[in-house]
Amino acid sequence: MKLIHLIKLLQRYILLIIIVPLFLAAVVYLFTRKQAKNYQSETTIYTGITSGYSVQQETRVDLFASNTAYDNLINLIKSRRTMEEVSVRLLVQHLMLDHYDPKYIQQENFEELLAEAPPDIIQIVRKYKRNQKQQQQYYRPPQKTSYNDEDNDGTPSASPTVRDAGYQSDTRSRTSQDFHIVNRGETMYAIAKKYRVSIEELMSLNDLDSYELATGQQIRINSSGSPASTEDYPYPSPARQTGYDTAFGDDYAREIDTTPLITKRWISTEPSAHQELWDTTTPYERCVRELMNYGNSNDYNYIYKLWNSDNKFYSIEALNAVSVTRIQNSDLVTIQYLNPDPGICQQTLIILTQVFIRSYKELRQHQTDAVVAYFKRQLEEAMRRLQKAEFDLLTFNEKNKIINYYEQTKAIAGMKEELDQQYSDAQIAYASADAAIKIIEKKLESHAKLTLNTNAIIELRTELATVTMQIVNIEIDLGNDSATVNLLESLKSHAEFLKKKIRSHLDALYVINNSVEGLPVADLLNAWLTNVIAYEESKAAFRVLTERRKQFQRYYEIFAPLGAEMKRIERLIGVTESEFLQLLHDLNLAKLRQQDDEMSTNIKVVDPPYFPLKPLKSKAMFLVILAGFIGLILILAILIAMEYFDTTIKTIERAERIIRLKVAGIYPRITPKLQSADMEFIVPRLVEMAVQNMSLAVKGQKEEGKKPIMVLFYSMLDGEGKTTVGRELCNKLQSYGEKVLYLNYYRVDIENTSPYFENPSHPGITDAEIQYELRNTYFETQNLEELIPGFDAFKQSEYDFIFVEIPSLINHPYPIEFVSMFDLSLLVVRANRSWKEADIVLLDAFKPLCKQDPQIILNGVELYFLDSVFGEVPKPRSEFRRMITRILLFRFRERSKV
């Protein structure tokens, strides 16, 4: 789209462009002129998720885990459960007020709440309100607070605060606070949190050196027998307080009724590490719990309907207006809230902050508590299995008299090897002594043999053998005691005595000094005696070692299966011990994670919610301007889109591009709005241009002297303006002195067959225009004589131009032979129509019948598209408008004359 066309488009719809933005701006103004004023409060929370200290001291920061943690925190803040509790707490806070207090709720909102609240809800709140007033009768100012109420010099603040209230309980109540009975699953940390004391104090009071507790164990809470602190009873004083120090600064310095319900503990920026956010025993807390249960009991009660209503203070929809944003990549989170009531705006953020902090702590700590409890149970079970396996091993060792199985088997193997060596040596000594005796005995004479076999010597040999066997047994099983050593020495002395006695008997028996071979008998006897002694010793040792080998074989038969059984028990102990150590390691990790979670969930309020004194600036004017701007952009976009996607022909350029024929002329769309344009010049000039182009197309026929020139007027659809354009062309040619005939058509009755000229009632009979009948045989027409009976060739030659208009090609058949006789075919097309597929098909079939390509007469062209013909449409313009046009078209140096 050209810039000039865009400008003319905007000019054409200038009224719509002005009205639509103004209408939208007016509508927005009507809806926003009575918009309620909104107040905004915000609070900043330090989470410590990313850069907080960790027990595990991990140096690497997992960005994905950090982002997930922040998403969890934000989703928890905006969760329905959180909003439900905030709604109920806010409702109870307001219903417990004796009268409206602008620090909590405006007067009109308070009166509206009392009017809308049903009697049953009012009754529930009044019940707990009476309990609170009864407890306030026992109000006792505390001697010292525990929430940093001391001044810098260490003295308590001079002005009491709301949270400084308490009441004097009876002796029985105080006694019940002295001890706590441990329930199943309770930890030291949970008890310390419940009673607002430190773990170290509990361990000191109960002389504990471990965090482990047994179910049913009695734990002393405090040593004085009185409640741990007046903070345990945060009920307000009935007196009015002024000028007290709060975490909110000077906003609380005004004199207000301290009825309430939100203590300083709720908004403390640094709560104790082991401290409940609320005392669940207060009437306020019990009322909140009852209304929460009431709201969740069914879906038709007042609380549930309030949650799901459009109430601007207590509904989930209103509370979801809370905006939670992480401050860049820091550990800080900002929570903002908008509300028409400044007190409710601040109190909502106060309650929301503490509700989500408590929920976040419970969520994180309960997860790790369950994990720690699981590992404890598994560790106890593994410990029982390990102790059982170790007891089985001990019983096995006692039963089989095993001190150290592997050392014992090693010693037995060494002794067996040594015994085998001794057994082999004994066999060798026994065999060698036996052989030596036999050889010596052969060398002795027969009488000497008889002498050697005397009874005395035999007895001595037998006794010597017995003593030698005893010596060998004692030497093999030599003990360390002195009796065994003395016995061994005595036996050895006796053996030597027997050897000497045998030798003396031999010396007395033999008187012959030489043997048969001439050897000295004394030498033979000495050798025989020596070998006999060795034989007896080796024989005794051989018998003893044989018994010992049998004994060692029995040891092997006993120890072999014991080894497999002991291996199985030790393997079971090893597996159980590994499992126990792994569970112990996992338990330590879980406890580290538990402690880490306790530290990481210590969320702190950096900037407490403030009381907004001024409402936010109204955005009504901005919204009105924005609506007008959006309306302007919207209408401009619609107009430009309609123009861009418009498929109508509209201009000469589009006609030639779409229809693919040359445009011979155009005819403007004449409306009453064109009074400013010089139509008396524009219309005749356009007709002249069309006649000029038509004359150029038939110039060859005119030079040949052909007469008449046949011009065909046709269109694809009815109502294209053929007759109007044809008559204009005829009139213009007649003004040039040409004799022109225009043949138009009309429908007649089928039964009427009288000649045209014989029926004077037919319309259109003039010197320049004749109307012919459109009969059923029209499509068979071959010449003008058949089209108009009686109109012969002589009459035709009287005219310079004959224009013939035929019916539309889509709605009527056309005579093929008759069409082919025309010198020029003019296709009349409306500029405000689209060129469809049917038009293309018909034109492609029609074109071969023409002597030359048809030309287009574009009818109904808008005046602002005539710039392509005139350059600038003739009409009066101011000099300023001409200057703006030159600037928009970048024609800075253009002038209207030299």
Side-chain angles (χ1 to χ4, degrees):
M1 181 185 295
K2 296 181 180 179
L3 181 61
I4 187 64
H5 291 166
L6 176 61
I7 296 173
K8 291 184 178 295
L9 174 67
L10 301 180
Q11 182 182 358
R12 189 163 76 248
Y13 294 102
I14 186 64
L15 187 60
L16 187 62
I17 293 173
I18 295 174
I19 291 176
V20 170
L22 290 179
F23 175 76
L24 289 179
V27 170
V28 172
Y29 173 75
L30 291 176
F31 280 102
T32 59
R33 62 194 177 102
K34 294 183 179 181
Q35 187 177 15
K37 296 180 180 180
N38 281 327
Y39 296 84
Q40 176 177 309
S41 181
E42 69 177 32
T43 179
T44 303
I45 308 297
Y46 174 76
T47 62
I49 293 176
T50 303
S51 61
Y53 182 77
S54 172
V55 175
Q56 302 178 33
Q57 297 184 356
E58 297 178 357
T59 57
R60 184 177 61 87
V61 177
D62 190 342
L63 295 179
F64 179 78
S66 177
N67 292 333
T68 303
Y70 278 107
D71 291 340
N72 293 337
L73 180 63
I74 293 173
N75 291 329
L76 178 63
I77 295 174
K78 298 181 72 68
S79 66
R80 180 180 176 86
R81 182 63 180 174
T82 301
M83 296 306 174
E84 288 177 356
E85 185 170 351
V86 172
S87 172
V88 171
R89 288 185 177 277
L90 196 63
L91 178 65
V92 173
Q93 180 193 70
H94 294 159
L95 291 178
M96 278 191 169
L97 293 172
D98 292 329
H99 53 80
Y100 86 94
D101 186 343
K103 289 298 295 182
Y104 297 98
I105 187 171
Q106 297 292 329
Q107 181 177 2
E108 59 273 17
N109 298 326
F110 182 70
E111 293 174 353
E112 182 180 354
L113 172 62
L114 294 181
E116 292 181 355
D120 56 342
I121 300 297
I122 298 293
Q123 187 66 26
I124 293 174
V125 176
R126 284 180 178 176
K127 177 181 64 175
Y128 289 102
K129 189 174 181 180
R130 286 194 300 269
N131 294 338
Q132 176 173 288
K133 290 183 176 180
Q134 292 173 1
Q135 292 176 354
Q136 288 174 353
Q137 297 174 2
Y138 300 100
Y139 172 72
R140 177 176 54 85
Q143 299 300 319
K144 185 176 180 180
T145 63
S146 59
Y147 269 82
N148 299 328
D149 287 339
E150 296 182 359
D151 296 331
N152 294 333
D153 58 357
T155 59
S157 175
S159 300
T161 64
V162 174
R163 63 172 179 78
D164 288 332
Y167 71 97
Q168 181 70 33
S169 61
D170 56 19
T171 306
R172 203 176 330 176
S173 300
R174 293 197 303 268
T175 305
S176 63
Q177 296 291 328
D178 291 345
F179 295 94
H180 172 81
I181 305 301
V182 178
N183 297 321
R184 179 179 178 84
E186 275 191 321
T187 62
M188 184 71 74
Y189 172 73
I191 297 173
K193 282 207 313 181
K194 181 176 181 179
Y195 293 97
R196 301 177 186 83
V197 296
S198 65
I199 296 179
E200 291 76 11
E201 184 178 353
L202 281 181
M203 295 183 68
S204 176
L205 288 174
N206 294 276
D207 296 329
L208 298 177
D209 55 0
S210 172
Y211 293 115
E212 301 296 331
L213 298 175
T215 302
Q217 182 178 352
Q218 191 177 47
I219 299 297
R220 177 180 291 277
I221 303 304
N222 58 73
S223 59
S224 62
S226 61
S229 171
T230 56
E231 282 288 318
D232 293 339
Y233 311 97
Y235 304 131
S237 168
R240 297 174 61 87
Q241 308 293 342
T242 60
Y244 49 83
D245 181 24
T246 69
F248 298 118
D250 296 337
D251 286 343
Y252 270 87
R254 297 183 303 173
E255 181 179 7
I256 63 171
D257 187 5
T258 59
T259 301
L261 307 165
I262 298 212
T263 67
K264 187 175 180 182
R265 177 185 298 116
W266 292 22
I267 56 177
S268 175
T269 57
E270 295 186 3
S272 176
H274 306 291
Q275 183 178 40
E276 291 286 354
L277 297 176
W278 292 289
D279 188 346
T280 57
T281 62
T282 64
Y284 173 77
E285 287 299 320
R286 296 201 302 272
C287 185
V288 169
R289 295 276 74 81
E290 182 170 345
L291 289 185
M292 285 291 294
N293 296 332
Y294 178 78
N296 292 314
S297 61
N298 52 62
D299 58 356
Y300 52 82
N301 61 75
Y302 171 75
I303 299 298
Y304 187 86
K305 290 181 179 179
L306 183 64
W307 288 339
N308 297 279
S309 67
D310 56 355
N311 188 285
K312 58 185 177 181
F313 302 124
Y314 311 105
S315 66
I316 303 298
E317 180 181 358
L319 294 175
N320 279 332
V322 171
S323 173
V324 185
T325 307
R326 181 184 179 186
I327 302 178
Q328 298 178 353
N329 293 324
S330 66
D331 284 333
L332 300 177
V333 173
T334 299
I335 306 177
Q336 296 179 339
Y337 185 55
L338 291 174
N339 198 273
D341 192 315
I344 294 179
C345 182
Q346 181 195 26
Q347 296 302 323
T348 300
L349 283 184
I350 293 174
I351 296 174
L352 174 63
T353 300
Q354 299 304 325
V355 167
F356 96 79
I357 288 177
R358 185 192 62 183
S359 300
Y360 186 68
K361 286 185 176 181
E362 291 177 353
L363 182 65
R364 294 291 299 272
Q365 293 173 4
H366 287 179
Q367 289 178 346
T368 53
D369 288 345
V371 174
V372 170
Y374 168 78
F375 281 118
K376 282 185 177 180
R377 292 194 301 269
Q378 296 298 318
L379 188 65
E380 291 174 358
E381 184 64 27
M383 174 62 80
R384 286 194 294 271
R385 292 196 300 270
L386 180 60
Q387 290 176 347
K388 182 179 181 303
E390 290 176 345
F391 180 76
D392 292 343
L393 179 61
L394 179 61
T395 304
F396 178 81
N397 290 337
E398 291 177 351
K399 179 180 179 181
N400 296 282
K401 297 179 176 58
I402 297 175
I403 299 175
N404 189 326
Y405 176 79
Y406 300 102
E407 292 297 329
Q408 286 181 269
T409 53
K410 183 178 180 181
I412 290 173
M415 293 173 64
K416 176 66 166 58
E417 184 176 356
E418 182 180 354
L419 182 63
D420 290 340
Q421 182 65 37
Q422 292 178 358
Y423 183 79
S424 176
D425 294 342
Q427 277 186 322
I428 295 172
Y430 178 76
S432 61
D434 183 53
I437 291 172
K438 290 179 179 179
I439 293 172
I440 292 172
E441 287 179 347
K442 286 181 180 180
K443 294 179 180 181
L444 295 175
E445 292 179 348
S446 58
H447 68 278
K449 293 180 182 179
L450 294 175
T451 304
L452 293 173
N453 289 327
T454 59
N455 293 331
I457 294 175
I458 291 173
E459 290 176 358
L460 289 174
R461 287 180 60 184
T462 303
E463 186 178 358
L464 179 62
T466 301
V467 172
T468 303
M469 184 177 295
Q470 291 177 357
I471 292 172
V472 172
N473 285 328
I474 292 174
E475 286 180 347
I476 291 175
D477 294 332
L478 180 63
N480 294 327
D481 55 328
S482 58
T484 304
V485 174
N486 294 331
L487 177 61
L488 180 62
E489 291 297 329
S490 174
L491 291 174
K492 286 183 177 181
S493 300
H494 187 61
E496 289 296 328
F497 172 74
L498 293 175
K499 292 176 183 178
K500 292 179 180 180
K501 194 171 183 178
I502 292 172
R503 184 174 290 109
S504 64
H505 278 284
L506 290 175
D507 292 340
L509 290 174
Y510 292 96
V511 292
I512 300 174
N513 293 327
N514 295 318
S515 64
V516 177
E517 291 84 1
L519 294 175
V521 175
D523 293 338
L524 289 176
L525 291 177
N526 289 332
W528 177 83
L529 179 60
T530 302
N531 284 285
V532 167
I533 293 172
Y535 174 78
E536 295 297 337
E537 289 178 351
S538 61
K539 182 178 179 181
F542 183 74
R543 287 199 300 268
V544 171
L545 290 174
T546 301
E547 293 297 328
R548 295 291 292 174
R549 289 189 66 188
K550 292 179 181 180
Q551 184 178 0
F552 271 104
Q553 186 63 33
R554 288 194 297 272
Y555 285 163
Y556 272 102
E557 291 176 356
I558 294 172
F559 269 81
L562 291 181
E565 181 65 20
M566 177 170 283
K567 200 71 175 177
R568 183 187 67 81
I569 297 175
E570 290 178 345
R571 184 167 57 250
L572 177 60
I573 293 175
V575 171
T576 307
E577 185 178 10
S578 299
E579 181 184 1
F580 174 80
L581 293 176
Q582 183 62 41
L583 288 172
L584 183 61
H585 175 70
D586 294 339
L587 177 61
N588 290 331
L589 291 180
K591 287 188 174 181
L592 282 176
R593 179 61 183 273
Q594 184 183 42
Q595 188 64 31
D596 195 29
D597 287 343
E598 291 176 3
M599 297 179 64
S600 64
T601 55
N602 191 18
I603 299 176
K604 298 182 181 297
V605 179
V606 178
D607 292 330
Y610 57 85
F611 184 87
L613 297 177
K614 296 181 180 179
L616 296 177
K617 293 182 178 180
S618 176
K619 295 183 179 179
M621 185 57 65
F622 172 76
L623 294 177
V624 170
I625 296 174
L626 181 62
F629 180 74
I630 292 176
L632 177 63
I633 297 298
L634 182 63
I635 190 63
L636 289 178
I638 293 174
L639 292 176
I640 293 174
M642 290 175 60
E643 188 70 16
Y644 181 80
F645 294 105
D646 187 13
T647 59
T648 57
I649 298 173
K650 292 188 291 189
T651 64
I652 296 175
E653 295 83 359
R654 288 172 61 89
E656 291 182 346
R657 186 178 74 251
I658 295 173
I659 304 177
R660 299 179 183 178
L661 294 177
K662 182 180 179 182
V663 176
I666 60 177
Y667 194 81
R669 180 172 177 263
I670 301 175
T671 63
K673 298 180 180 179
L674 301 178
Q675 295 177 359
S676 61
D678 190 0
M679 299 305 296
E680 294 181 357
F681 169 78
I682 293 173
V683 176
R685 180 59 188 141
L686 291 176
V687 175
E688 288 175 358
M689 290 180 180
V691 171
Q692 182 179 352
N693 291 331
M694 185 184 66
S695 298
L696 291 174
V698 297
K699 182 179 179 182
Q701 288 82 345
K702 292 182 68 175
E703 290 177 352
E704 293 174 359
K706 182 180 179 182
K707 196 176 180 180
I709 302 297
M710 302 293 293
V711 180
L712 178 65
F713 271 84
Y714 70 99
S715 66
M716 295 297 170
L717 299 172
D718 294 331
E720 299 279 3
K722 298 186 295 294
T723 303
T724 301
V725 174
R727 287 172 180 172
E728 291 286 348
L729 294 177
C730 288
N731 293 334
K732 182 58 67 176
L733 286 172
Q734 285 178 347
S735 67
Y736 291 160
E738 303 285 350
K739 191 172 183 180
V740 182
L741 177 65
Y742 188 80
L743 299 180
N744 198 357
Y745 66 92
Y746 75 98
R747 288 185 176 276
V748 297
D749 191 0
I750 298 177
E751 298 179 357
N752 188 357
T753 57
S754 60
Y756 181 83
F757 289 100
E758 296 178 358
N759 189 357
S761 62
H762 290 169
I765 301 178
T766 63
D767 292 340
E769 182 177 352
I770 300 175
Q771 289 188 336
Y772 62 89
E773 300 171 355
L774 194 61
R775 300 176 180 273
N776 291 336
T777 59
Y778 160 72
F779 70 95
E780 298 177 351
T781 302
Q782 297 183 1
N783 49 48
L784 288 177
E785 289 81 359
E786 294 182 3
L787 186 66
I788 303 177
F791 191 69
D792 53 15
F794 176 76
K795 293 180 180 179
Q796 297 176 25
S797 62
E798 296 178 358
Y799 297 96
D800 296 317
F801 290 91
I802 296 179
F803 290 86
V804 179
E805 178 183 341
I806 64 174
S808 61
L809 301 186
I810 289 180
N811 299 322
H812 303 85
Y814 56 88
I816 297 176
E817 296 295 334
F818 181 64
V819 168
S820 61
M821 63 178 288
F822 286 89
D823 300 309
L824 177 63
S825 298
L826 295 178
L827 172 63
V828 181
V829 181
R830 282 184 291 108
N832 59 356
R833 63 161 291 194
S834 299
W835 193 251
K836 300 180 178 61
E837 188 69 24
D839 301 323
I840 297 174
V841 173
L842 279 175
L843 183 60
D844 290 342
F846 188 83
K847 284 168 58 176
L849 304 178
C850 303
K851 292 181 180 181
Q852 60 176 317
D853 287 341
Q855 295 189 16
I856 301 171
I857 300 295
L858 190 60
N859 186 24
V861 178
E862 297 290 346
L863 187 63
Y864 44 81
F865 287 127
L866 297 180
D867 289 344
S868 60
V869 178
F870 293 105
E872 189 176 81
V873 177
K875 62 179 180 179
R877 295 179 176 87
S878 64
E879 188 61 30
F880 175 75
R881 184 172 179 179
R882 292 178 183 274
M883 181 184 68
I884 295 300
T885 303
R886 289 196 300 268
I887 292 174
L888 293 176
L889 298 179
F890 304 103
R891 301 172 183 173
F892 303 108
R893 298 183 179 277
E894 184 181 60
R895 297 293 183 270
S896 58
K897 57 184 178 180
V898 178

